[in-house]
Amino acid sequence: MSIEELADLIKEAANIIVNSEVVISFTGAGISAESGIPTFRGSGGLWENYRVEDVASPEGFKKNPKLVWEFYLERRKKIAKAKPNPGHLALAELEKIFEETGENRKFYVITQNIDNLHKEAGNKNVIELHGNIWYTRCSNPACENSKPFLDKKMEYEELPPRCDICGSYLRPHVVWFNEPLPQDAINDAFALASEADAVIVVGTSGVVFPAAYIPYIAKERGGKVIEINIEPSAITKISDVFIMGKAGIVLPEIVKRVKELIGVE
Ligand code: OAD
Ligand code: ZN
């Protein structure tokens, strides 16, 4: 891609955003790559030393809850060191711009990430489809503690930790393979997708469903799809504007252009 082509695509993306009332950004592991958190399907993926089914499935948890907790505590330690990068910060700026430029304008981030970095960057409208690493819940659905609670512990006296109300094992508040997504999150996400004038897809391979329906729903209802990725993804075939590049470089450029177009500082 030449510099001129890149500049044109950035202008095109910014034009779409400025002319939209409802915009969502659908993000995946790629947006956090520049914060030092490895992606799933890339080389050096997070699952490297573990088999996914052992540490991220209900069956794995049943078989060896201690191993699952060791894995997630390791991830907590890694994520605790990570900070939002310019890609996250650009999306936070975009939310502010939308808030300030019209009553009916809405900007939401819908993320598959569990690392909390969108919220740390300052986004308030965030839908977490796959949970959040900093929340824990009781594995007994009948227990009051089955409602997720904030839990920043990196070590426990006993692994797996037990619920202090009912004594069942606690579990990380993340979605595992073969598990349904949180009902509210997916409902809200699909509703937003169906009213979105534009969806900015960032750093996702787009192969994990139901999350990956989001850009298709938006497209079907007439929304424009803008995509940013370092390589083509499963979603690229429906993208109206595909910008090949790093999220931390491309997103700030788009936001800069948006600000020029609407004349804010
Ligand atoms: P993947 O690891 O499948 O995909 C990461 C995407 O980010 C790839 O398309 C990369 O090309 C792209 N990428 C890498 N670095 C980038 C950068 N600096 N800028 C822009 N793009 C970049 O991660 P996800 O699509 O998020 O689910 O994976 C989806 C789900 O699969 C995860 O949420 C997780 C996993 O199974 C659960 O845990 C339920
Ligand atoms: Zn309990």
Side-chain angles (χ1 to χ4, degrees):
M1 204 180 281
S2 73
I3 301 226
E4 290 78 21
E5 277 171 330
L6 191 66
D8 281 345
L9 290 173
I10 284 170
K11 274 189 207 161
E12 209 182 325
N15 274 323
I16 292 172
I17 293 167
V18 167
N19 291 313
S20 294
E21 210 155 66
V22 178
V23 175
I24 58 178
S25 181
F26 175 55
T27 67
I31 196 166
S32 295
E34 291 157 78
S35 294
I37 303 172
T39 59
F40 296 94
R41 288 165 188 83
S43 55
L46 250 175
W47 314 96
E48 226 175 5
N49 304 316
Y50 293 91
R51 289 176 4 153
V52 174
E53 54 274 34
D54 288 344
V55 292
S57 74
E59 298 75 30
F61 188 67
K62 221 176 194 170
K63 228 194 303 179
N64 194 343
K66 184 164 183 269
L67 179 79
V68 172
W69 266 106
E70 281 164 357
F71 172 72
Y72 280 97
L73 291 177
E74 233 172 80
R75 292 185 74 180
R76 275 193 187 169
K77 282 175 195 154
K78 193 163 212 163
I79 289 169
K81 288 193 202 122
K83 285 194 203 60
N85 68 57
H88 295 108
L89 296 172
L91 293 183
E93 232 183 318
L94 212 46
E95 184 183 305
K96 266 211 203 101
I97 292 170
F98 267 68
E99 223 174 59
E100 288 162 6
T101 50
E103 258 171 47
N104 300 321
R105 296 193 94 196
K106 271 204 284 211
F107 180 79
Y108 268 79
V109 171
I110 302 171
T111 190
Q112 298 163 88
N113 300 342
I114 60 169
D115 57 31
N116 201 47
L117 291 182
H118 286 300
K119 287 183 184 158
E120 271 179 52
N123 283 94
K124 285 176 286 191
N125 301 335
V126 181
I127 296 177
E128 292 166 326
L129 293 175
H130 292 163
N132 185 311
I133 186 93
W134 301 113
Y135 282 78
T136 296
R137 65 177 200 256
C138 180
S139 58
N140 166 11
C143 177
E144 205 178 304
N145 269 350
S146 64
K147 209 170 140 260
F149 55 89
L150 190 66
D151 171 18
K152 297 228 152 184
K153 283 199 191 105
M154 310 265 190
E155 311 278 350
Y156 286 94
E157 279 163 32
E158 184 199 12
L159 275 188
R162 284 182 186 275
C163 172
D164 55 16
I165 296 181
C166 77
S168 304
Y169 291 146
L170 295 176
R171 60 162 285 176
H173 177 54
V174 298
V175 174
W176 289 329
F177 287 90
N178 303 324
E179 282 192 316
L181 271 53
Q183 198 62 53
D184 285 359
I186 194 73
N187 287 349
D188 291 353
F190 282 4
L192 279 164
S194 63
E195 62 166 322
D197 302 305
V199 45
I200 310 169
V201 178
V202 189
T204 179
S205 53
V207 296
V208 175
F209 291 89
Y213 283 126
I214 285 163
Y216 296 90
I217 294 171
K219 178 89 179 184
E220 210 179 87
R221 305 289 176 95
K224 296 271 189 230
V225 178
I226 299 163
E227 185 184 21
I228 297 139
N229 199 308
I230 52 172
E231 58 182 35
S233 77
I235 293 163
T236 309
K237 60 181 184 298
I238 64 154
S239 295
D240 297 282
V241 182
F242 175 66
I243 308 179
M244 189 131 90
K246 290 187 172 184
I249 292 173
V250 175
L251 283 171
E253 286 300 321
I254 294 176
V255 172
K256 195 170 134 199
R257 182 75 195 163
V258 164
K259 283 159 111 178
E260 283 168 11
L261 284 171
I262 59 177
V264 298
E265 290 297 303

